[in-house]
Amino acid sequence: MSTADPHGAAAGGASAAVFGSDWVPGPDGLLHRRAARVILLDERDRVLLVRGHDVDLPERSWWFTVGGGIDAGETSRQAAVREVREETGIVLATDELVGPVYTRSALFDFAARTCRQDEDLYLARVRAADLALTREGWTAVELDVIDELRWWDLDELERVTIEVFPAGLADLVRAVLVWDGTTRHLGLVEE
């Protein structure tokens, strides 16, 4: 990820070092940015997730979809493809993205700050058997707060005991295994 993202990128330490230039104060005074995320599915309908933790609360960790902030001059689709490449080493073309299948706004605390992120969530299919995941595109902050990448069976994902973002992800994935072309807004969630 090019910048800090508590649900798919890195953040930690002092706010200036954690939050990139894509995070700007919103009208409500909260740090805000637009982001693109990808529900990556393999040939067995397993979803690739990232597990990270908050530097200020290292005992708190969570699973989340690949993705992060939209850089200046990028479209949401371009950012999604870039983030997938940076976070996993998987190279996709923008036309391999389905959707956005979901949009949502999330309020969350990270690095001792409350943030708001407006997200487009896409779907993409890859063959896990053909991939070698890599950390080569990770920033120093991501190397510090991202703990692992893992393929999850949807039934197994439902039994995870730590937080998963977005909430109810296994059911959200099942609902778009065959997408009907409708982008669903998940609303404003507090995480």
Side-chain angles (χ1 to χ4, degrees), residues 14-44:
S15 291
V18 173
F19 298 103
S21 60
D22 56 342
W23 287 100
V24 297
D28 54 6
L30 299 178
L31 284 180
H32 173 262
R33 77 170 180 181
R34 291 188 56 240
R37 311 203 70 73
V38 181
I39 300 167
L40 283 167
L41 294 174
D42 74 358
E43 62 276 15
R44 296 181 2 216

PDB file of all heavy atoms in Angstrom, residues 14-44:
ATOM      1  N   ALA A  14       3.824   7.716  15.398  1.00  0.00           N
ATOM      2  CA  ALA A  14       3.305   9.078  15.370  1.00  0.00           C
ATOM      3  C   ALA A  14       2.393   9.262  14.170  1.00  0.00           C
ATOM      4  O   ALA A  14       2.627   8.721  13.108  1.00  0.00           O
ATOM      5  CB  ALA A  14       4.463  10.063  15.318  1.00  0.00           C
ATOM      6  N   SER A  15       1.349  10.067  14.351  1.00  0.00           N
ATOM      7  CA  SER A  15       0.371  10.263  13.286  1.00  0.00           C
ATOM      8  C   SER A  15       1.006  10.720  11.991  1.00  0.00           C
ATOM      9  O   SER A  15       0.624  10.272  10.921  1.00  0.00           O
ATOM     10  CB  SER A  15      -0.702  11.259  13.721  1.00  0.00           C
ATOM     11  OG  SER A  15      -1.499  10.683  14.720  1.00  0.00           O
ATOM     12  N   ALA A  16       1.966  11.614  12.052  1.00  0.00           N
ATOM     13  CA  ALA A  16       2.592  12.121  10.835  1.00  0.00           C
ATOM     14  C   ALA A  16       3.268  11.003  10.059  1.00  0.00           C
ATOM     15  O   ALA A  16       3.264  10.996   8.833  1.00  0.00           O
ATOM     16  CB  ALA A  16       3.593  13.216  11.171  1.00  0.00           C
ATOM     17  N   ALA A  17       3.847  10.036  10.754  1.00  0.00           N
ATOM     18  CA  ALA A  17       4.534   8.933  10.093  1.00  0.00           C
ATOM     19  C   ALA A  17       3.562   7.865   9.627  1.00  0.00           C
ATOM     20  O   ALA A  17       3.884   7.061   8.782  1.00  0.00           O
ATOM     21  CB  ALA A  17       5.567   8.331  11.039  1.00  0.00           C
ATOM     22  N   VAL A  18       2.376   7.834  10.188  1.00  0.00           N
ATOM     23  CA  VAL A  18       1.416   6.781   9.918  1.00  0.00           C
ATOM     24  C   VAL A  18       0.477   7.129   8.778  1.00  0.00           C
ATOM     25  O   VAL A  18       0.221   6.315   7.914  1.00  0.00           O
ATOM     26  CB  VAL A  18       0.599   6.488  11.192  1.00  0.00           C
ATOM     27  CG1 VAL A  18      -0.519   5.523  10.900  1.00  0.00           C
ATOM     28  CG2 VAL A  18       1.512   5.957  12.266  1.00  0.00           C
ATOM     29  N   PHE A  19      -0.048   8.306   8.801  1.00  0.00           N
ATOM     30  CA  PHE A  19      -1.076   8.696   7.843  1.00  0.00           C
ATOM     31  C   PHE A  19      -0.454   9.454   6.691  1.00  0.00           C
ATOM     32  O   PHE A  19       0.150  10.501   6.884  1.00  0.00           O
ATOM     33  CB  PHE A  19      -2.158   9.524   8.535  1.00  0.00           C
ATOM     34  CG  PHE A  19      -2.876   8.754   9.603  1.00  0.00           C
ATOM     35  CD1 PHE A  19      -2.594   8.955  10.943  1.00  0.00           C
ATOM     36  CD2 PHE A  19      -3.818   7.798   9.268  1.00  0.00           C
ATOM     37  CE1 PHE A  19      -3.245   8.227  11.928  1.00  0.00           C
ATOM     38  CE2 PHE A  19      -4.469   7.057  10.243  1.00  0.00           C
ATOM     39  CZ  PHE A  19      -4.186   7.281  11.575  1.00  0.00           C
ATOM     40  N   GLY A  20      -0.634   8.926   5.479  1.00  0.00           N
ATOM     41  CA  GLY A  20      -0.081   9.539   4.283  1.00  0.00           C
ATOM     42  C   GLY A  20      -0.875  10.751   3.839  1.00  0.00           C
ATOM     43  O   GLY A  20      -1.888  11.125   4.435  1.00  0.00           O
ATOM     44  N   SER A  21      -0.432  11.326   2.735  1.00  0.00           N
ATOM     45  CA  SER A  21      -1.038  12.560   2.232  1.00  0.00           C
ATOM     46  C   SER A  21      -2.459  12.364   1.729  1.00  0.00           C
ATOM     47  O   SER A  21      -3.188  13.337   1.531  1.00  0.00           O
ATOM     48  CB  SER A  21      -0.172  13.153   1.119  1.00  0.00           C
ATOM     49  OG  SER A  21      -0.064  12.225   0.041  1.00  0.00           O
ATOM     50  N   ASP A  22      -2.886  11.109   1.516  1.00  0.00           N
ATOM     51  CA  ASP A  22      -4.261  10.879   1.078  1.00  0.00           C
ATOM     52  C   ASP A  22      -5.257  11.015   2.228  1.00  0.00           C
ATOM     53  O   ASP A  22      -6.453  11.098   2.015  1.00  0.00           O
ATOM     54  CB  ASP A  22      -4.409   9.516   0.392  1.00  0.00           C
ATOM     55  CG  ASP A  22      -3.950   8.346   1.240  1.00  0.00           C
ATOM     56  OD1 ASP A  22      -3.208   8.554   2.214  1.00  0.00           O
ATOM     57  OD2 ASP A  22      -4.326   7.207   0.913  1.00  0.00           O
ATOM     58  N   TRP A  23      -4.774  11.066   3.454  1.00  0.00           N
ATOM     59  CA  TRP A  23      -5.628  11.302   4.618  1.00  0.00           C
ATOM     60  C   TRP A  23      -5.698  12.804   4.853  1.00  0.00           C
ATOM     61  O   TRP A  23      -4.688  13.439   5.106  1.00  0.00           O
ATOM     62  CB  TRP A  23      -5.043  10.639   5.867  1.00  0.00           C
ATOM     63  CG  TRP A  23      -5.173   9.146   5.876  1.00  0.00           C
ATOM     64  CD1 TRP A  23      -4.191   8.247   5.551  1.00  0.00           C
ATOM     65  CD2 TRP A  23      -6.315   8.389   6.223  1.00  0.00           C
ATOM     66  NE1 TRP A  23      -4.669   6.975   5.696  1.00  0.00           N
ATOM     67  CE2 TRP A  23      -5.972   7.026   6.104  1.00  0.00           C
ATOM     68  CE3 TRP A  23      -7.605   8.730   6.637  1.00  0.00           C
ATOM     69  CZ2 TRP A  23      -6.863   6.002   6.377  1.00  0.00           C
ATOM     70  CZ3 TRP A  23      -8.495   7.706   6.908  1.00  0.00           C
ATOM     71  CH2 TRP A  23      -8.125   6.359   6.775  1.00  0.00           C
ATOM     72  N   VAL A  24      -6.890  13.364   4.751  1.00  0.00           N
ATOM     73  CA  VAL A  24      -7.079  14.806   4.945  1.00  0.00           C
ATOM     74  C   VAL A  24      -8.195  15.042   5.959  1.00  0.00           C
ATOM     75  O   VAL A  24      -9.109  14.223   6.079  1.00  0.00           O
ATOM     76  CB  VAL A  24      -7.414  15.523   3.612  1.00  0.00           C
ATOM     77  CG1 VAL A  24      -6.263  15.392   2.616  1.00  0.00           C
ATOM     78  CG2 VAL A  24      -8.692  14.968   2.999  1.00  0.00           C
ATOM     79  N   PRO A  25      -8.131  16.140   6.676  1.00  0.00           N
ATOM     80  CA  PRO A  25      -9.223  16.428   7.612  1.00  0.00           C
ATOM     81  C   PRO A  25     -10.532  16.660   6.854  1.00  0.00           C
ATOM     82  O   PRO A  25     -10.578  17.408   5.880  1.00  0.00           O
ATOM     83  CB  PRO A  25      -8.777  17.720   8.310  1.00  0.00           C
ATOM     84  CG  PRO A  25      -7.301  17.791   8.081  1.00  0.00           C
ATOM     85  CD  PRO A  25      -7.049  17.112   6.764  1.00  0.00           C
ATOM     86  N   GLY A  26     -11.585  15.973   7.293  1.00  0.00           N
ATOM     87  CA  GLY A  26     -12.901  16.166   6.698  1.00  0.00           C
ATOM     88  C   GLY A  26     -13.635  17.281   7.403  1.00  0.00           C
ATOM     89  O   GLY A  26     -13.145  17.852   8.384  1.00  0.00           O
ATOM     90  N   PRO A  27     -14.831  17.627   6.927  1.00  0.00           N
ATOM     91  CA  PRO A  27     -15.610  18.700   7.532  1.00  0.00           C
ATOM     92  C   PRO A  27     -15.930  18.444   9.007  1.00  0.00           C
ATOM     93  O   PRO A  27     -16.137  19.381   9.769  1.00  0.00           O
ATOM     94  CB  PRO A  27     -16.896  18.750   6.706  1.00  0.00           C
ATOM     95  CG  PRO A  27     -16.756  17.770   5.615  1.00  0.00           C
ATOM     96  CD  PRO A  27     -15.486  17.015   5.797  1.00  0.00           C
ATOM     97  N   ASP A  28     -15.954  17.169   9.406  1.00  0.00           N
ATOM     98  CA  ASP A  28     -16.237  16.815  10.791  1.00  0.00           C
ATOM     99  C   ASP A  28     -14.971  16.783  11.647  1.00  0.00           C
ATOM    100  O   ASP A  28     -15.013  16.451  12.826  1.00  0.00           O
ATOM    101  CB  ASP A  28     -16.948  15.459  10.861  1.00  0.00           C
ATOM    102  CG  ASP A  28     -16.178  14.363  10.132  1.00  0.00           C
ATOM    103  OD1 ASP A  28     -15.034  14.597   9.665  1.00  0.00           O
ATOM    104  OD2 ASP A  28     -16.725  13.252  10.012  1.00  0.00           O
ATOM    105  N   GLY A  29     -13.814  17.122  11.040  1.00  0.00           N
ATOM    106  CA  GLY A  29     -12.550  17.142  11.765  1.00  0.00           C
ATOM    107  C   GLY A  29     -11.840  15.805  11.796  1.00  0.00           C
ATOM    108  O   GLY A  29     -10.683  15.727  12.231  1.00  0.00           O
ATOM    109  N   LEU A  30     -12.489  14.738  11.344  1.00  0.00           N
ATOM    110  CA  LEU A  30     -11.858  13.424  11.313  1.00  0.00           C
ATOM    111  C   LEU A  30     -10.958  13.297  10.091  1.00  0.00           C
ATOM    112  O   LEU A  30     -11.255  13.859   9.033  1.00  0.00           O
ATOM    113  CB  LEU A  30     -12.914  12.317  11.256  1.00  0.00           C
ATOM    114  CG  LEU A  30     -13.899  12.225  12.407  1.00  0.00           C
ATOM    115  CD1 LEU A  30     -14.897  11.103  12.154  1.00  0.00           C
ATOM    116  CD2 LEU A  30     -13.172  12.024  13.725  1.00  0.00           C
ATOM    117  N   LEU A  31      -9.887  12.538  10.224  1.00  0.00           N
ATOM    118  CA  LEU A  31      -9.086  12.208   9.054  1.00  0.00           C
ATOM    119  C   LEU A  31      -9.952  11.385   8.117  1.00  0.00           C
ATOM    120  O   LEU A  31     -10.683  10.487   8.548  1.00  0.00           O
ATOM    121  CB  LEU A  31      -7.846  11.408   9.446  1.00  0.00           C
ATOM    122  CG  LEU A  31      -6.715  12.189  10.079  1.00  0.00           C
ATOM    123  CD1 LEU A  31      -5.549  11.262  10.411  1.00  0.00           C
ATOM    124  CD2 LEU A  31      -6.237  13.307   9.170  1.00  0.00           C
ATOM    125  N   HIS A  32      -9.877  11.673   6.833  1.00  0.00           N
ATOM    126  CA  HIS A  32     -10.752  11.041   5.846  1.00  0.00           C
ATOM    127  C   HIS A  32      -9.964  10.711   4.595  1.00  0.00           C
ATOM    128  O   HIS A  32      -9.027  11.426   4.227  1.00  0.00           O
ATOM    129  CB  HIS A  32     -11.908  11.993   5.492  1.00  0.00           C
ATOM    130  CG  HIS A  32     -12.745  11.477   4.364  1.00  0.00           C
ATOM    131  ND1 HIS A  32     -12.562  11.892   3.070  1.00  0.00           N
ATOM    132  CD2 HIS A  32     -13.750  10.570   4.341  1.00  0.00           C
ATOM    133  CE1 HIS A  32     -13.428  11.265   2.294  1.00  0.00           C
ATOM    134  NE2 HIS A  32     -14.161  10.460   3.044  1.00  0.00           N
ATOM    135  N   ARG A  33     -10.345   9.628   3.946  1.00  0.00           N
ATOM    136  CA  ARG A  33      -9.820   9.329   2.610  1.00  0.00           C
ATOM    137  C   ARG A  33     -10.770   8.393   1.893  1.00  0.00           C
ATOM    138  O   ARG A  33     -11.619   7.743   2.487  1.00  0.00           O
ATOM    139  CB  ARG A  33      -8.422   8.722   2.674  1.00  0.00           C
ATOM    140  CG  ARG A  33      -8.396   7.274   3.059  1.00  0.00           C
ATOM    141  CD  ARG A  33      -7.008   6.710   2.851  1.00  0.00           C
ATOM    142  NE  ARG A  33      -6.991   5.305   3.236  1.00  0.00           N
ATOM    143  CZ  ARG A  33      -5.932   4.553   3.187  1.00  0.00           C
ATOM    144  NH1 ARG A  33      -4.775   5.060   2.802  1.00  0.00           N
ATOM    145  NH2 ARG A  33      -5.977   3.295   3.535  1.00  0.00           N
ATOM    146  N   ARG A  34     -10.567   8.323   0.572  1.00  0.00           N
ATOM    147  CA  ARG A  34     -11.248   7.344  -0.275  1.00  0.00           C
ATOM    148  C   ARG A  34     -10.296   6.179  -0.465  1.00  0.00           C
ATOM    149  O   ARG A  34      -9.079   6.359  -0.549  1.00  0.00           O
ATOM    150  CB  ARG A  34     -11.614   7.952  -1.620  1.00  0.00           C
ATOM    151  CG  ARG A  34     -12.717   9.010  -1.501  1.00  0.00           C
ATOM    152  CD  ARG A  34     -13.218   9.473  -2.868  1.00  0.00           C
ATOM    153  NE  ARG A  34     -13.683   8.342  -3.670  1.00  0.00           N
ATOM    154  CZ  ARG A  34     -13.163   8.013  -4.863  1.00  0.00           C
ATOM    155  NH1 ARG A  34     -12.200   8.704  -5.403  1.00  0.00           N
ATOM    156  NH2 ARG A  34     -13.619   6.961  -5.523  1.00  0.00           N
ATOM    157  N   ALA A  35     -10.862   4.983  -0.553  1.00  0.00           N
ATOM    158  CA  ALA A  35     -10.036   3.782  -0.676  1.00  0.00           C
ATOM    159  C   ALA A  35     -10.693   2.783  -1.618  1.00  0.00           C
ATOM    160  O   ALA A  35     -11.904   2.823  -1.861  1.00  0.00           O
ATOM    161  CB  ALA A  35      -9.823   3.145   0.698  1.00  0.00           C
ATOM    162  N   ALA A  36      -9.859   1.891  -2.129  1.00  0.00           N
ATOM    163  CA  ALA A  36     -10.320   0.797  -2.984  1.00  0.00           C
ATOM    164  C   ALA A  36      -9.810  -0.509  -2.384  1.00  0.00           C
ATOM    165  O   ALA A  36      -8.641  -0.613  -2.021  1.00  0.00           O
ATOM    166  CB  ALA A  36      -9.786   0.977  -4.402  1.00  0.00           C
ATOM    167  N   ARG A  37     -10.699  -1.480  -2.268  1.00  0.00           N
ATOM    168  CA  ARG A  37     -10.352  -2.766  -1.680  1.00  0.00           C
ATOM    169  C   ARG A  37     -10.760  -3.870  -2.661  1.00  0.00           C
ATOM    170  O   ARG A  37     -11.632  -3.651  -3.513  1.00  0.00           O
ATOM    171  CB  ARG A  37     -11.071  -2.941  -0.350  1.00  0.00           C
ATOM    172  CG  ARG A  37     -10.920  -1.717   0.565  1.00  0.00           C
ATOM    173  CD  ARG A  37     -11.114  -2.028   2.007  1.00  0.00           C
ATOM    174  NE  ARG A  37     -10.025  -2.828   2.534  1.00  0.00           N
ATOM    175  CZ  ARG A  37      -8.789  -2.341   2.783  1.00  0.00           C
ATOM    176  NH1 ARG A  37      -8.519  -1.082   2.539  1.00  0.00           N
ATOM    177  NH2 ARG A  37      -7.850  -3.113   3.258  1.00  0.00           N
ATOM    178  N   VAL A  38     -10.148  -5.027  -2.510  1.00  0.00           N
ATOM    179  CA  VAL A  38     -10.435  -6.136  -3.425  1.00  0.00           C
ATOM    180  C   VAL A  38     -10.682  -7.416  -2.632  1.00  0.00           C
ATOM    181  O   VAL A  38      -9.871  -7.795  -1.786  1.00  0.00           O
ATOM    182  CB  VAL A  38      -9.284  -6.347  -4.430  1.00  0.00           C
ATOM    183  CG1 VAL A  38      -9.613  -7.499  -5.389  1.00  0.00           C
ATOM    184  CG2 VAL A  38      -9.006  -5.069  -5.224  1.00  0.00           C
ATOM    185  N   ILE A  39     -11.800  -8.039  -2.926  1.00  0.00           N
ATOM    186  CA  ILE A  39     -12.091  -9.376  -2.425  1.00  0.00           C
ATOM    187  C   ILE A  39     -11.452 -10.321  -3.429  1.00  0.00           C
ATOM    188  O   ILE A  39     -11.980 -10.522  -4.530  1.00  0.00           O
ATOM    189  CB  ILE A  39     -13.610  -9.620  -2.315  1.00  0.00           C
ATOM    190  CG1 ILE A  39     -14.248  -8.616  -1.348  1.00  0.00           C
ATOM    191  CG2 ILE A  39     -13.906 -11.056  -1.925  1.00  0.00           C
ATOM    192  CD1 ILE A  39     -15.771  -8.573  -1.412  1.00  0.00           C
ATOM    193  N   LEU A  40     -10.276 -10.851  -3.087  1.00  0.00           N
ATOM    194  CA  LEU A  40      -9.547 -11.764  -3.972  1.00  0.00           C
ATOM    195  C   LEU A  40      -9.978 -13.190  -3.689  1.00  0.00           C
ATOM    196  O   LEU A  40      -9.835 -13.670  -2.559  1.00  0.00           O
ATOM    197  CB  LEU A  40      -8.046 -11.643  -3.746  1.00  0.00           C
ATOM    198  CG  LEU A  40      -7.367 -10.437  -4.363  1.00  0.00           C
ATOM    199  CD1 LEU A  40      -5.959 -10.271  -3.816  1.00  0.00           C
ATOM    200  CD2 LEU A  40      -7.329 -10.574  -5.877  1.00  0.00           C
ATOM    201  N   LEU A  41     -10.489 -13.861  -4.700  1.00  0.00           N
ATOM    202  CA  LEU A  41     -10.942 -15.245  -4.553  1.00  0.00           C
ATOM    203  C   LEU A  41     -10.100 -16.159  -5.426  1.00  0.00           C
ATOM    204  O   LEU A  41      -9.752 -15.804  -6.554  1.00  0.00           O
ATOM    205  CB  LEU A  41     -12.405 -15.378  -4.979  1.00  0.00           C
ATOM    206  CG  LEU A  41     -13.431 -14.650  -4.131  1.00  0.00           C
ATOM    207  CD1 LEU A  41     -14.813 -14.762  -4.770  1.00  0.00           C
ATOM    208  CD2 LEU A  41     -13.445 -15.193  -2.720  1.00  0.00           C
ATOM    209  N   ASP A  42      -9.811 -17.340  -4.891  1.00  0.00           N
ATOM    210  CA  ASP A  42      -9.077 -18.314  -5.691  1.00  0.00           C
ATOM    211  C   ASP A  42     -10.047 -19.294  -6.338  1.00  0.00           C
ATOM    212  O   ASP A  42     -11.272 -19.135  -6.254  1.00  0.00           O
ATOM    213  CB  ASP A  42      -7.987 -19.005  -4.866  1.00  0.00           C
ATOM    214  CG  ASP A  42      -8.517 -20.026  -3.871  1.00  0.00           C
ATOM    215  OD1 ASP A  42      -9.755 -20.213  -3.753  1.00  0.00           O
ATOM    216  OD2 ASP A  42      -7.680 -20.656  -3.190  1.00  0.00           O
ATOM    217  N   GLU A  43      -9.502 -20.307  -6.977  1.00  0.00           N
ATOM    218  CA  GLU A  43     -10.307 -21.279  -7.719  1.00  0.00           C
ATOM    219  C   GLU A  43     -11.203 -22.125  -6.808  1.00  0.00           C
ATOM    220  O   GLU A  43     -12.139 -22.764  -7.279  1.00  0.00           O
ATOM    221  CB  GLU A  43      -9.403 -22.173  -8.578  1.00  0.00           C
ATOM    222  CG  GLU A  43      -8.401 -23.011  -7.810  1.00  0.00           C
ATOM    223  CD  GLU A  43      -7.098 -22.298  -7.451  1.00  0.00           C
ATOM    224  OE1 GLU A  43      -7.025 -21.045  -7.527  1.00  0.00           O
ATOM    225  OE2 GLU A  43      -6.141 -22.991  -7.068  1.00  0.00           O
ATOM    226  N   ARG A  44     -10.951 -22.109  -5.501  1.00  0.00           N
ATOM    227  CA  ARG A  44     -11.778 -22.854  -4.538  1.00  0.00           C
ATOM    228  C   ARG A  44     -12.692 -21.920  -3.742  1.00  0.00           C
ATOM    229  O   ARG A  44     -13.226 -22.310  -2.706  1.00  0.00           O
ATOM    230  CB  ARG A  44     -10.876 -23.653  -3.600  1.00  0.00           C
ATOM    231  CG  ARG A  44     -10.095 -24.711  -4.363  1.00  0.00           C
ATOM    232  CD  ARG A  44      -9.186 -25.596  -3.538  1.00  0.00           C
ATOM    233  NE  ARG A  44      -9.172 -25.388  -2.119  1.00  0.00           N
ATOM    234  CZ  ARG A  44      -8.077 -25.502  -1.368  1.00  0.00           C
ATOM    235  NH1 ARG A  44      -6.910 -25.795  -1.910  1.00  0.00           N
ATOM    236  NH2 ARG A  44      -8.133 -25.317  -0.064  1.00  0.00           N
TER     237      ARG A  44
END
